[in-house]
Amino acid sequence: MGIVEEAHNVRVLGSGQQVIVLAHGFGTDQSVWKHLVPHLVDDYRVVMYDNMGAGTTNPEYFDFERYATLEGYAYDLLAILEELRVGSCIFVGHSVSGMVGAMAAITRPDLFTKLVMIGASPRYLNDVDYYGGFEQEDLEQLFDAIRSNYKAWCSGFAPMAVGGDLDSVAVQEFSRTLFNMRPDIALSVAQTIFQSDTRQILHLITVPCHILQSVKDLAVPVVVTEYLHQNLGGESIVEVMSSDGHLPQLSSPDIVIPVLLRHIRYDIAA
């Protein structure tokens, strides 16, 4: 196993010709895909990894400067694909990893046959003629809460993000992976994500994009999916699912897994 693979806890399952890469969002790790993976391993070679900063990675490897922008994560993804000698893949990116995959696909479009995004957003902050869902004041309160008492913040944020009731398995699972992050790293990652703005590069994304979104999501309003659809440089399709919350693959697998499988298996009609 190479250095990059080891650092990101890369796992390769299945033995199909087609490679699928699964990338998780903030506060989770590759375990967020546990309901999806069993449906893929018979037909595909499945690559999973942990983003640097996830609780499962070595905090000593987290470079605060490198990960102050999303580019750092995009370079990691390309390094993983290179180390595994992946010639082309279907990339499934949840939350921030949707945009990370998009950035990697701008640099190396040849490596991606399509991008499947779940709950992705090019910008979380509201702007003139753009609704991202948050005001700067909201974000400052969020960052202050992480700073002042990380454990308490995790306990409050997890049920809101998942959208389930407090006792649900999905909420407990997200609380666990969120709390596993080192607090200073979690704050840095949250700041990088919530202050990011990738709207100006959307036209450069020429790889086909499948945009999937929960009908109700604390982090990403449904209108954001339409913004992505209108501004991407290549073909795209939007599907709003009847799921609730920002981690629907964990909280509503019965709704989301069939949708995901359909978008993985079938290409967009032009």
Side-chain angles (χ1 to χ4, degrees):
M1 183 179 271
I3 295 167
V4 176
E5 286 175 77
E6 199 174 336
H8 290 275
N9 304 317
V10 172
R11 286 170 69 216
V12 183
L13 305 170
S15 55
Q17 290 293 305
Q18 175 80 62
V19 175
I20 292 189
V21 177
L22 305 178
H24 67 84
F26 171 66
T28 60
D29 56 43
Q30 60 188 263
S31 67
V32 80
W33 301 112
K34 64 183 182 182
H35 298 297
L36 175 63
V37 172
H39 299 278
L40 297 175
V41 288
D42 288 345
D43 302 314
Y44 301 95
R45 190 167 155 232
V46 182
V47 175
M48 289 184 287
Y49 68 96
D50 295 330
N51 284 326
M52 201 51 68
T56 44
T57 60
N58 184 342
E60 299 305 311
Y61 292 160
F62 189 82
D63 181 332
F64 285 87
E65 198 173 320
R66 177 184 176 93
Y67 301 110
T69 66
L70 298 184
E71 278 88 351
Y73 297 98
Y75 293 139
D76 285 353
L77 169 58
L78 292 172
I80 290 166
L81 296 180
E82 186 175 336
E83 203 163 90
L84 293 176
R85 299 195 172 132
V86 171
S88 90
C89 72
I90 294 170
F91 179 84
V92 181
H94 172 235
S95 191
V96 63
S97 283
M99 297 320 300
V100 167
M103 291 170 118
I106 292 170
T107 307
R108 290 289 307 276
D110 56 303
L111 293 179
F112 301 88
T113 54
K114 66 179 162 191
L115 305 175
V116 181
M117 303 175 172
I118 311 166
S121 175
R123 179 182 164 107
Y124 297 86
L125 265 173
N126 299 331
D127 198 6
V128 180
D129 297 330
Y130 177 81
Y131 183 68
F134 295 87
E135 295 292 345
Q136 187 61 46
E137 189 184 340
D138 302 327
L139 296 185
E140 295 305 336
Q141 287 174 352
L142 180 117
F143 302 148
D144 284 345
I146 294 176
R147 271 189 211 99
S148 61
N149 188 333
Y150 184 61
K151 189 171 186 179
W153 176 77
C154 290
S155 301
F157 182 73
M160 284 198 303
V162 173
D165 74 80
L166 268 163
D167 303 323
S168 79
V169 175
V171 170
Q172 290 170 3
E173 180 70 9
F174 184 46
S175 300
R176 179 186 67 79
T177 54
L178 194 59
F179 190 61
N180 277 346
M181 293 181 80
R182 207 172 77 185
D184 58 331
I185 291 175
L187 174 62
S188 176
V189 174
Q191 288 171 325
T192 296
I193 293 169
F194 282 111
Q195 303 282 4
S196 66
D197 187 353
T198 52
R199 291 175 300 171
Q200 69 285 358
I201 62 167
L202 294 178
H203 71 283
L204 299 172
I205 302 163
T206 54
V207 172
C209 291
H210 295 234
I211 304 157
L212 308 181
Q213 173 69 32
S214 286
V215 70
K216 190 177 166 197
D217 182 341
L218 164 89
V220 184
V222 171
V223 290
V224 168
T225 61
E226 195 50 41
Y227 182 89
L228 278 172
H229 183 50
Q230 297 293 342
N231 289 278
L232 288 165
E235 294 175 348
S236 63
I237 186 170
V238 172
E239 182 161 348
V240 178
M241 304 176 288
S242 61
S243 50
D244 181 0
H246 191 58
L247 294 93
Q249 72 274 47
L250 199 59
S251 60
S252 307
D254 50 333
I255 296 170
V256 174
I257 302 308
V259 175
L260 263 171
L261 292 172
R262 193 169 74 249
H263 284 273
I264 287 167
R265 288 175 180 148
Y266 302 108
D267 293 333
I268 300 169

